[in-house]
Amino acid sequence: QVLNIKLESTKNQFKLFQNLKMTRKTIKDLDSEFSLFKDEFKGVKSKLSSLLQLCQQLQGKPASENFVFKCERCEKEFESVGELMKHKRTHSTEPESFKCEHCERFFDAEWKLKAHSDSHKQYSCETCSKTFKTMDVKMKHEKISHEGLKLFCHYFNNQKTCPFASECVFLHQEAGLCKY
């Protein structure tokens, strides 16, 4: 029995040693992770301190001095967004701007001009010369008006006022069984 107790005691000591060894390894791992963390956030304290000082300076100024709107092209400063936008139009004659040939508007990027110019497109019906803003509506008009296809107006068939009124390409007639 004494041998049995010594054996149990030795097993318990071995388990305790293993746990201690694992704990040391875990603490070592945590220590290295903490070092990495410290390195990542070295400058945060000084940055926060300077931001705090800036906030305190701004609080002492009148509200109109707090926000300044700068032009990206000439660095001129304005007190309101409206003034900045008005000023930006003065740069419109510069070569970096893109002018719409239909409505004289200016854009600061070519892709914006292209997207805008699509709003000026008109699609004409070859049969009656009626014009439409989208090809889809023009094709529906042709099928309904010139090919005899019966597509009924959803608004009309649900006793609602059609927002397109006389410009609606769909038939303003009772659809019968199907109201859609």
Side-chain angles (χ1 to χ4, degrees), residues 51-62:
L51 280 174
L52 183 61
Q53 286 175 344
L54 182 62
C55 284
Q56 287 170 344
Q57 288 172 357
L58 289 174
Q59 286 174 345
K61 292 183 179 182

Side-chain angles (χ1 to χ4, degrees), residues 54-161:
L54 182 62
C55 284
Q56 287 170 344
Q57 288 172 357
L58 289 174
Q59 286 174 345
K61 292 183 179 182
S64 62
E65 293 179 33
N66 285 345
F67 299 103
V68 176
F69 302 91
K70 262 188 188 178
C71 176
E72 299 92 22
R73 290 194 184 174
C74 68
E75 300 293 314
K76 198 170 180 179
E77 295 179 351
F78 299 92
E79 288 184 18
S80 72
V81 177
E83 287 178 33
L84 173 62
M85 296 307 287
K86 190 175 181 181
H87 165 76
K88 278 186 172 183
R89 290 188 202 111
T90 65
H91 293 297
S92 298
T93 55
E94 293 180 15
E96 297 111 275
S97 62
F98 299 89
K99 182 179 174 185
C100 176
E101 57 193 42
H102 302 288
C103 69
E104 309 297 315
R105 281 186 63 189
F106 288 93
F107 298 89
D108 62 354
E110 190 174 10
W111 69 268
K112 290 179 182 177
L113 171 64
K114 186 175 176 351
H116 164 77
S117 63
D118 287 345
S119 71
H120 294 294
K121 278 187 183 173
Q122 293 286 316
Y123 300 92
S124 297
C125 174
E126 290 81 25
T127 309
C128 67
S129 301
K130 203 171 182 181
T131 58
F132 303 93
K133 284 197 177 237
T134 65
M135 178 63 83
D136 182 52
V137 174
K138 176 201 151 208
M139 290 173 66
K140 286 178 182 169
H141 157 79
E142 289 174 343
K143 289 182 188 274
I144 293 167
S145 301
H146 306 299
E147 295 174 20
L149 181 69
K150 292 194 177 220
L151 292 176
F152 299 95
C153 177
H154 169 76
Y155 294 101
F156 182 85
N157 276 280
N158 286 285
Q159 288 81 38
K160 294 182 180 173
T161 305

Side-chain angles (χ1 to χ4, degrees), residues 9-43:
S9 177
T10 307
K11 281 183 187 177
N12 289 338
Q13 285 176 350
F14 182 72
K15 284 181 186 177
L16 186 64
F17 178 73
Q18 273 188 320
N19 288 339
L20 186 62
K21 197 175 174 182
M22 284 175 36
T23 305
R24 282 188 186 152
K25 183 180 178 189
T26 306
I27 289 172
K28 189 177 180 181
D29 290 343
L30 287 174
D31 192 42
S32 65
E33 287 177 24
F34 182 70
S35 294
L36 291 172
F37 182 77
K38 267 178 36 180
D39 290 342
E40 285 182 39
F41 290 97
K42 259 183 189 168

